[in-house]
């Protein structure tokens, strides 16, 4: 079970992404972070802290649960429904540049659901995609704007991102 | 033709017989009960060990539904159900369409019974014209046509005054008034026993006191008139208490209980199927304390007899919301297995008491010819297989209706064969007897 | 709030709270919290039940419950169909079983049933493959009402266990009462019920509640007071002598409220009879959460619809 990113590497990667965000957006004015539940939210909060350290400014941060937008929700005739958790976007996203944050980018279907959900909250000026790991195998025309690590994988493998907030430690594991 | 039922345990409580005997039948009459009856010139029927030969069972509370409700039952289908259940005679309730309140209806029923040629049928006439509770029916005419009792069953007799008159008038002919005991104002639109389960299921309740009030009324009027008052399908412990006190006081009161009331409780409203309309009957299935009291009455002799209140209803009529469904279940074909399993094998009573409850006493209460194996009595005989296990299957019932909550039940004890007037009218293919 | 330990209900249908375990109740309430947020969005609609057909089959007039279900269904993008049948036409027309079979032939995914007969949804559930949701059956249960009541209490008090809840009114005929008793006792609340003895069901204590006809006793230190509607026609059934006397003996007044906990919640499933079971000052007063109940009804019903749309764990395993 090879560890492809350890805690230190994850920390440095997120700091780097924060700098890229500031650079590309010429500051953090009008930016907002929206993390996709569960681990995207933790990463978004960490990025918000980094952005504050770099610029001194608070970037509003929200949490998005995309369960109700999943395209496989009603595909199975019977079976338990995925657990729905709370979406918390306590600010208007209208005319903001929204940074959508997730832990792993794979088929792109989660991102597609998240884009649909975000649009229901208003009309952002732009949406940029931030992921810690891009493992390839896209099924939809979606591309990340900020990538922590590109990790070529086979579909049989699985990537596990573990974070302090939910898993007690920081690491990315390939199985 | 002479037939000898050889072997088997013969139980005839009326004559104090309980032992290994043979029964000799000549034509439609019983000739002799005894040991070592010569077998020359007679057809011998071997009765297997463990089987019981007894007077034909009599169910004095049956709804045959004919005339007028033939989609539920007919005299033919009802009597087929009766003989399959071990009954050689049934008394049928007058709440047909039209009501059996005149000799024409009585004669019609008797003609249908003769045509069917299965169980004997004793019609019961109405107390009041059209059972409307206003004018007395022509009771002398009914009696002459063959009615053996009167009742406005389905409902109580409309008023105390009418019940008094009915008792007085029926007393003249020596026939009892059978009463569906119920205070209608207290019943209201109740559909189930008033207790925890009805409360939980949101069903309107019928308290036990509702029945007991009707019993008390009848008892007082029986005392007043000196006539015979019979309590139908008694279900509540308060009713039993009233009957016991009346009997102690020497009042002419008798009572019957049904197999479903001594077997089930109101818990059946909830399980195995909630709101099963086959658990809806009137009087309703009572709580455990009532059921246990009824069992106590069976044991100590306060209860005179078992009757089924066989109440056929079509599937469509029962396949509705609980409060819209009609009351009642069929019972002719389950009475013997339930009674043997729940009363005899449970150790509550012995077989002679059961025969008394199902044959001797029903005949006595309605003054019917059967219920005995005396010399010269009609050869109405039921052979029981007390240890034969049966699985109740609703769809296999002979009755035209299948409404009952015992589908799939496995019980110990069954009917082996039924003879009416010396003629075999039912032989259970599962039993090891050939007639 | 700790998340529910399970992710699905164990039943195809929601017939009553009596059938639910505590963890299932928690799952509905937790899911409803997520659903509530959707109602505050500019676009109050998610695609979760797109392509699902839900029939709202109402045999009793109901504005509040039917509207609430319909909004919930639409917010989840289900296709909805409202069928209102007056009970009187049923007498002449087809049976409930036939109505159900006809609906079933059109292959809906869920049927929301309101009916005046207790157990009507059990009959429907035996006949139909569709998930049946009980929107009130006779005097039996009204499970989504109890769930929304619990949601409203939990939102305010952050818990259900250990709260003293007093339910006052016509207990005998109330399906809201039965559902609430099941739910609150399962979740560990201390439930008191109160009403005139004529309107208290037999053996009410076997439900695990305290019963009294002294309203002050029920209300004393109560964290929640739930009032049940007194139906005016009950007077004619001689359940109580007059509305005036009922109000004098049982009506919730500001004075009686003083006995309750200082942060008591006043609830009513509606529709209210002001001046009968509740004084107007109380209904409109600071302790009243009656409109919150209505508001939360949509989220709770969305949760129920969502959870039942996927089928049960039991079926998935089979």
């Amino acid at each position: 079970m090879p560890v492809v990113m350890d805690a230190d590497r994850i920390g440095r990667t997120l700091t780097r992404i924060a700098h890229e965000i500031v650079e590309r957006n010429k500051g953090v004015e009008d930016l907002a972070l929206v993390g996709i539940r569960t681990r995207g939210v933790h990463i978004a909060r960490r990025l918000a802290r980094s952005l504050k350290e770099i610029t001194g400014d608070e970037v509003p941060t929200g949490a998005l649960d995309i369960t109700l937008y999943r395209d496989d929700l009603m595909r199975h005739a019977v079976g338990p429904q995925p657990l729905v958790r709370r979406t918390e976007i306590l600010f208007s996203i209208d005319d903001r540049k929204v940074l959508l944050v997730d832990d792993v980018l794979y088929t792109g279907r989660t991102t597609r659901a998240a884009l649909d959900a975000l649009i229901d909250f208003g009309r952002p000026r732009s949406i940029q995609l931030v992921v810690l790991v891009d493992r390839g195998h896209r099924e939809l025309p979606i591309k990340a704007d900020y990538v922590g690590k590109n990790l070529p994988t086979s579909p049989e493998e699985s990537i596990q991102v573990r974070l302090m907030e939910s898993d007690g430690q920081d690491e990315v594991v390939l199985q | 033709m002479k037939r000898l039922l050889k072997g088997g345990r013969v139980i005839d409580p009326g004559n104090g017989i309980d032992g290994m005997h043979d029964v000799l039948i000549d034509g439609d009459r019983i000739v002799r009960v005894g040991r070592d009856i010569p077998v020359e010139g007679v057809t011998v029927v071997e009765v297997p060990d463990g089987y019981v030969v007894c007077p034909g069972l009599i169910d004095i509370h049956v709804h045959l539904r004919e005339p007028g409700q033939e989609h539920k039952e007919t005299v033919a289908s009802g009597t087929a159900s009766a003989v399959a259940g071990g009954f050689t005679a049934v008394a049928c309730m007058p709440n047909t369409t039209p009501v059996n309140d005149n000799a024409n209806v009585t004669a019609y029923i008797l003609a249908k019974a003769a045509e069917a040629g299965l169980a004997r049928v004793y019609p019961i006439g109405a107390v009041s014209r059209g059972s409307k509770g206003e004018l007395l029916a022509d009771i002398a005419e009914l009696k002459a046509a063959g009615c053996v009792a009167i009742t406005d069953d389905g409902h109580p007799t409309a008023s105390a005054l009418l019940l008094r008159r009915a008792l007085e008038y029926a007393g003249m002919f020596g026939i009892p008034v059978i009463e569906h005991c119920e205070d209608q104002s207290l019943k209201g639109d109740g559909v189930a026993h008033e207790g925890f389960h009805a409360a939980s299921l949101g069903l309107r309740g019928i308290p036990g006191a509702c029945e007991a009030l009707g019993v008390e009324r009848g008892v007082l009027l029986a005392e007043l008139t000196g006539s015979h008052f019979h309590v139908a399908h008694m279900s509540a412990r308060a009713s039993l208490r009233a009957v016991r006190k009346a009997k102690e006081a020497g009042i002419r009161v008798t009572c019957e209980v049904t197999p479903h009331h001594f077997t089930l409780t109101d818990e059946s409203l909830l399980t195995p199927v909630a709101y099963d309309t086959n658990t809806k009957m009137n009087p309703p299935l009572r709580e455990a304390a009532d059921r246990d009291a009824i069992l106590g009455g069976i044991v100590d002799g306060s209860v005179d007899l078992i009757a089924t209140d066989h109440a056929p209803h079509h599937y469509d009529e029962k396949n509705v919301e609980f409060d819209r469904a009609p009351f009642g279940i069929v019972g002719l074909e389950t009475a013997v297995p339930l009674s043997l399993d729940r009363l005899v094998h449970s150790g509550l009573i012995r077989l002679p008491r059961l025969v008394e409850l199902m044959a001797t006493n029903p005949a006595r209460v309605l003054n019917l010819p059967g219920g005995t194996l005396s010399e010269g009595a009609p050869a109405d005989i039921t052979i029981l297989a007390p240890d034969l296990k049966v699985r109740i299957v609703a769809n296999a019932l002979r009755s035209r209706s299948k409404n009952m909550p015992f589908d799939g039940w496995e019980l110990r004890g069954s009917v082996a064969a039924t003879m009416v007037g010396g003629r075999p009218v039912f032989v259970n293919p599962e039993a090891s007897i050939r007639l | 709030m700790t998340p529910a330990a399970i992710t699905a209900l164990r039943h195809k249908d929601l017939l009553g709270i009596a059938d639910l375990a505590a963890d299932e109740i928690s799952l509905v309430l937790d899911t409803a919290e997520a659903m509530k947020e959707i109602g505050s969005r500019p676009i109050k609609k998610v695609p979760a039940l797109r392509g699902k057909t839900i029939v709202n089959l109402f045999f009793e007039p109901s504005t509040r419950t039917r509207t609430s279900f319909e909004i919930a269904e639409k917010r989840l993008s289900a296709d909805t169909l409202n069928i209102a049948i007056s009970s009187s036409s049923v007498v002449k027309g087809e049976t409930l079983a036939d109505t159900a079979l006809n609906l079933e032939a059109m292959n809906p995914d869920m049927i929301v049933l309101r009916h005046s007969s207790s157990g009507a949804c059990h009959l429907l559930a035996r006949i139909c493959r569709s998930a049946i949701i009980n929107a009130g059956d006779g005097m039996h249960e009204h499970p989504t009402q109890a769930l929304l009541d619990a949601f409203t209490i939990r939102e305010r008090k952050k818990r259900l266990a250990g709260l003293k809840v007093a339910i006052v009114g016509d207990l005998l005929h109330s399906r809201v009462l039965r559902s609430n008793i099941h739910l609150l006792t399962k979740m560990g609340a201390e439930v008191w019920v109160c009403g005139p003895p004529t309107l208290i069901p037999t053996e009410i204590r076997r439900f695990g509640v305290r019963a009294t006809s002294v309203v002050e006793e029920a209300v004393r230190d109560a964290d929640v007071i739930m009032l049940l509607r007194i139906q005016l026609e009950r007077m004619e059934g001689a359940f109580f002598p007059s509305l005036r006397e009922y109000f004098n003996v049982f009506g919730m007044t500001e004075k009686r409220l003083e006995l309750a906990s200082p942060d008591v919640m006043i609830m009513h499933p509606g529709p209210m009879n002001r001046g009968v079971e509740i004084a107007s000052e109380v209904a409109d007063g600071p302790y009243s959460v009656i409109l919150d109940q209505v508001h939360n009804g949509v989220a709770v019903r969305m949760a129920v619809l969502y959870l039942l749309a996927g089928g049960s764990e039991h079926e998935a395993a089979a």
Side-chain angles (χ1 to χ4, degrees):
Chain A
M1 200 193 315
V3 175
V4 291
M5 291 178 89
D6 59 13
D8 183 48
R9 180 80 188 277
I10 290 171
R12 278 185 285 117
T13 303
L14 291 181
T15 309
R16 179 195 25 101
I17 291 176
H19 280 285
E20 282 179 34
I21 289 169
V22 176
E23 192 176 326
R24 211 179 296 179
N25 293 284
K26 303 185 172 56
V28 293
E29 201 183 341
D30 295 334
L31 280 189
L33 286 155
V34 174
I36 298 175
R37 293 234 187 238
T38 304
R39 290 179 185 77
V41 177
H42 305 322
I43 296 172
R45 296 219 170 98
R46 291 191 192 187
L47 286 172
R49 278 201 298 277
S50 295
L51 292 172
K52 173 136 197 236
E53 278 166 23
I54 296 165
T55 66
D57 292 330
E58 295 276 0
V59 176
T61 306
L64 183 66
D65 184 86
I66 56 96
T67 309
L68 298 170
Y69 292 82
R70 280 170 57 161
D71 60 5
D72 59 350
L73 199 53
M74 292 297 155
R75 298 260 303 171
H76 311 288
V78 291
Q81 296 281 63
L83 207 57
V84 184
R85 283 157 306 176
R86 211 178 153 81
T87 290
E88 284 167 291
I89 302 177
L90 306 172
F91 48 87
S92 166
I93 63 166
D94 283 342
D95 296 319
R96 281 191 193 272
K97 295 183 276 186
V98 174
L99 294 156
L100 183 63
V101 184
D102 204 357
D103 54 352
V104 179
L105 178 58
Y106 184 27
T107 61
R109 289 180 190 272
T110 299
T111 311
R112 195 283 310 161
L115 290 171
D116 277 358
L118 269 183
I119 299 299
D120 283 354
F121 281 84
R123 187 178 184 282
R125 194 194 308 166
S126 67
I127 300 175
Q128 301 164 32
L129 180 61
V130 184
V131 297
L132 183 60
V133 175
D134 182 348
R135 62 170 292 193
H137 305 288
R138 215 75 76 238
E139 292 168 5
L140 296 173
I142 281 167
K143 183 170 168 293
D145 299 279
Y146 308 89
V147 178
K149 183 176 175 60
N150 280 299
L151 198 63
T153 57
S154 85
E156 289 74 37
E157 290 169 315
S158 90
I159 292 282
Q160 293 228 323
V161 172
R162 299 187 181 128
L163 297 172
M164 269 329 267
E165 295 90 329
S166 48
D167 313 290
Q169 58 177 326
D170 278 359
E171 62 178 8
V172 179
V173 174
L174 178 70
Q175 283 175 311
Chain B
M1 177 186 133
K2 287 188 178 177
R3 216 191 278 261
L4 184 69
L5 303 180
K6 193 166 176 47
R9 176 177 170 190
V10 175
I11 300 177
D12 179 12
N15 287 308
I17 296 171
D18 178 8
M20 303 302 293
H21 292 281
D22 303 336
V23 179
L24 183 63
I25 301 160
D26 186 4
D28 63 353
R29 296 280 150 182
I30 290 167
V31 177
R32 225 185 111 192
V33 176
R35 294 202 170 94
D36 305 320
I37 296 173
V39 297
E40 290 82 44
V42 303
T43 310
V44 175
V45 175
E46 296 287 349
V47 179
D49 283 350
Y51 281 30
V52 169
V53 178
C54 63
L57 308 183
I58 301 170
D59 185 350
I60 69 163
H61 197 134
V62 170
H63 297 270
L64 291 179
R65 304 298 189 203
E66 194 175 1
Q69 299 150 27
E70 290 83 356
H71 64 291
K72 297 176 195 256
E73 194 80 286
T74 62
V75 173
S77 66
T79 50
S81 181
V83 297
F87 294 99
T88 57
V90 296
C92 61
M93 289 292 156
N95 59 340
T96 46
T97 318
V99 169
N100 183 15
D101 63 357
N102 65 74
N104 289 333
V105 178
T106 308
Y108 179 84
I109 294 167
L110 288 172
K112 287 285 174 184
E115 199 178 292
L118 295 165
R120 296 181 200 275
V121 173
Y122 298 105
I124 296 171
V127 163
S128 61
R129 286 188 201 175
S131 282
K132 288 199 172 88
E134 292 156 7
L135 305 169
L136 281 179
D138 292 331
I139 295 168
E141 176 189 306
L142 287 166
K143 161 78 176 162
C147 286
V148 294
I150 54 169
T151 184
D152 273 350
D153 185 59
H155 299 286
T157 306
S159 68
L161 181 66
L162 187 67
L163 181 56
R164 176 196 179 163
R165 299 286 184 245
L167 282 162
E168 286 170 333
Y169 204 79
M172 171 166 68
F173 308 105
I175 59 173
V177 176
I178 300 174
E179 179 76 345
H180 169 116
C181 296
E182 180 178 280
D183 182 282
Q184 293 212 280
S185 71
L186 205 51
K187 179 188 173 232
D189 44 11
V191 294
H193 173 64
E194 185 173 301
F196 173 70
H197 293 292
S200 172
L201 293 168
L203 297 173
R204 287 170 203 273
I206 306 171
C210 170
E211 178 184 273
L213 271 173
V215 175
E216 298 276 15
R217 181 181 80 161
V219 162
L220 290 168
L221 295 174
E223 185 179 27
L224 181 67
T225 60
S227 295
H228 178 187
F229 178 72
H230 178 76
V231 179
H233 42 53
M234 188 173 70
S235 64
R237 56 191 191 272
S239 305
L240 179 66
R241 192 171 61 215
V243 166
R244 277 190 183 132
K245 275 162 66 183
K247 286 184 168 184
E248 276 166 26
I251 300 166
R252 290 182 68 197
V253 175
T254 52
C255 67
E256 71 193 29
V257 299
T258 72
H260 50 270
H261 285 116
F262 70 63
T263 302
L264 301 173
T265 66
D266 59 349
E267 207 181 337
S268 300
L269 297 167
L270 183 66
T271 56
V273 178
Y275 300 101
D276 182 356
T277 55
N278 286 326
T279 61
K280 180 177 176 180
M281 52 282 274
N282 188 19
L285 296 174
R286 299 286 181 192
E287 60 197 54
D290 289 303
R291 196 264 317 266
D292 294 346
I294 294 297
L295 288 171
I298 290 172
V299 171
D300 73 9
S302 315
V303 168
D304 293 282
L305 63 99
I306 291 170
T308 65
D309 193 7
H310 177 86
H313 292 292
H314 193 271
Y315 174 80
D316 289 342
E317 295 167 311
K318 279 285 197 181
N319 188 30
V320 295
E321 300 88 319
F322 195 90
D323 53 7
R324 287 173 191 265
F327 292 101
I329 62 168
V330 294
L332 284 166
E333 291 166 74
T334 46
V336 164
L338 286 170
S339 300
L340 284 168
D341 193 286
R342 296 305 156 116
L343 302 178
V344 177
H345 294 309
S346 69
L348 287 175
I349 61 170
R350 293 167 182 279
L351 277 165
R353 170 69 176 144
L354 184 67
V355 175
E356 192 176 88
L357 286 162
M358 298 187 79
T360 321
N361 288 354
R364 275 188 189 154
V365 164
L366 290 193
N367 200 20
L368 304 177
T372 174
L373 299 177
S374 299
E375 185 182 329
D380 293 0
I381 293 171
T382 300
I383 302 173
L384 301 173
D387 295 308
L388 183 63
K389 293 202 168 96
V390 287
R391 184 166 190 276
I392 308 292
V393 178
N395 281 327
L397 296 179
R398 267 77 163 180
S399 170
R400 190 165 275 196
S401 294
K402 318 296 177 193
N403 53 308
M404 55 103 160
F406 305 112
D407 192 26
W409 280 41
E410 291 185 359
L411 298 165
R412 182 170 153 216
S414 187
V415 175
T418 312
M419 298 175 78
V420 174
R423 205 160 44 86
V425 286
F426 172 74
V427 179
N428 183 349
E430 304 291 317
S432 32
I433 191 165
R434 297 289 164 267
L435 289 171
Chain C
M1 216 62 64
T2 46
I6 52 163
T7 61
L9 301 177
R10 297 183 193 93
H11 308 272
K12 164 175 100 61
D13 312 293
L14 178 64
L15 304 182
I17 302 293
D19 304 327
L20 296 183
D23 58 356
E24 292 176 288
I25 293 166
S26 293
L27 174 64
V28 175
L29 300 182
D30 292 348
T31 306
E33 279 187 23
M35 294 297 182
K36 186 168 178 178
E37 175 269 327
I38 295 167
S40 60
R41 295 182 191 175
I43 295 173
K44 300 174 185 60
K45 197 177 181 83
V46 293
L49 298 194
R50 216 166 45 181
K52 294 274 170 183
T53 307
I54 303 178
V55 175
N56 299 316
L57 182 58
F58 277 63
F59 287 88
E60 265 187 351
S62 151
T63 310
R64 193 178 318 239
T65 304
R66 194 187 54 71
T67 311
S68 181
F69 266 107
E70 201 178 339
I71 292 175
E73 290 153 5
K74 290 194 189 313
R75 287 197 178 157
L76 291 169
S77 302
D79 296 316
T80 68
L81 180 65
N82 291 313
I83 304 178
I85 302 174
S86 81
S87 300
S88 58
S89 77
V90 178
V91 177
K92 298 174 236 152
E94 63 184 4
T95 62
L96 178 60
D98 279 336
T99 304
L101 286 171
N102 277 285
L103 282 176
E104 190 73 354
M106 293 177 239
N107 205 17
D109 297 284
M110 287 191 248
I111 298 174
V112 178
L113 179 71
R114 159 70 63 98
H115 199 285
S116 58
S117 292
S118 301
C121 36
H122 290 72
L123 177 67
L124 213 63
R126 281 200 292 274
I127 295 171
C128 296
R129 278 177 294 106
S130 324
I132 308 298
I133 297 175
N134 184 358
D137 65 326
M139 312 185 324
H140 175 230
E141 281 224 42
H142 191 352
T144 57
Q145 177 70 42
L147 286 163
L148 75 88
D149 290 342
F151 182 88
T152 307
I153 298 171
R154 207 177 76 158
E155 195 174 50
R156 185 74 59 106
K157 304 276 187 190
K158 308 296 171 207
R159 68 191 167 110
L160 295 168
L163 296 177
K164 177 176 176 180
V165 182
I167 308 177
V168 185
D170 178 353
L171 311 172
L172 184 63
H173 302 94
S174 176
R175 51 193 172 213
V176 175
L177 172 85
R178 285 164 179 80
S179 288
N180 261 307
I181 286 183
H182 288 307
L183 193 151
L184 292 167
T185 53
K186 279 171 200 235
M187 302 309 279
E190 177 194 343
V191 182
W192 283 69
V193 298
C194 175
T198 49
L199 289 172
I200 299 181
T202 329
E203 299 195 59
I204 187 81
R205 286 172 188 84
R206 274 181 71 185
F207 289 91
V209 303
R210 309 278 295 270
T212 176
S213 289
V214 181
V215 70
E216 288 76 13
E217 193 185 1
V219 166
R220 182 164 294 118
D221 300 322
D223 299 293
V224 179
I225 299 172
M226 230 179 244
L227 301 164
L228 300 175
R229 179 178 167 78
I230 291 294
Q231 283 173 354
L232 309 187
E233 62 267 26
R234 303 291 178 222
M235 246 181 352
E236 283 130 46
F239 289 101
F240 57 92
S242 69
L243 295 178
R244 190 172 147 270
E245 178 154 317
Y246 182 88
F247 182 70
N248 287 340
V249 182
F250 295 100
M252 199 48 56
T253 57
E254 285 183 314
K255 185 155 171 21
R256 287 192 171 122
L257 217 51
E258 285 170 12
L259 297 168
S261 153
D263 58 349
V264 67
M265 297 168 68
I266 298 290
M267 308 180 80
H268 195 301
M272 272 186 287
N273 292 309
R274 289 166 182 267
V276 181
E277 66 264 8
I278 187 166
S280 269
E281 306 84 76
V282 175
D284 304 328
Y287 303 107
S288 168
V289 295
I290 294 168
L291 294 176
D292 295 353
Q293 289 173 272
V294 178
H295 180 72
N296 291 334
V298 175
V300 165
R301 290 177 175 118
M302 286 171 76
V304 167
L305 292 163
Y306 170 75
L307 289 169
L308 288 178
S312 68
E313 258 179 352
H314 174 74
E315 282 172 284

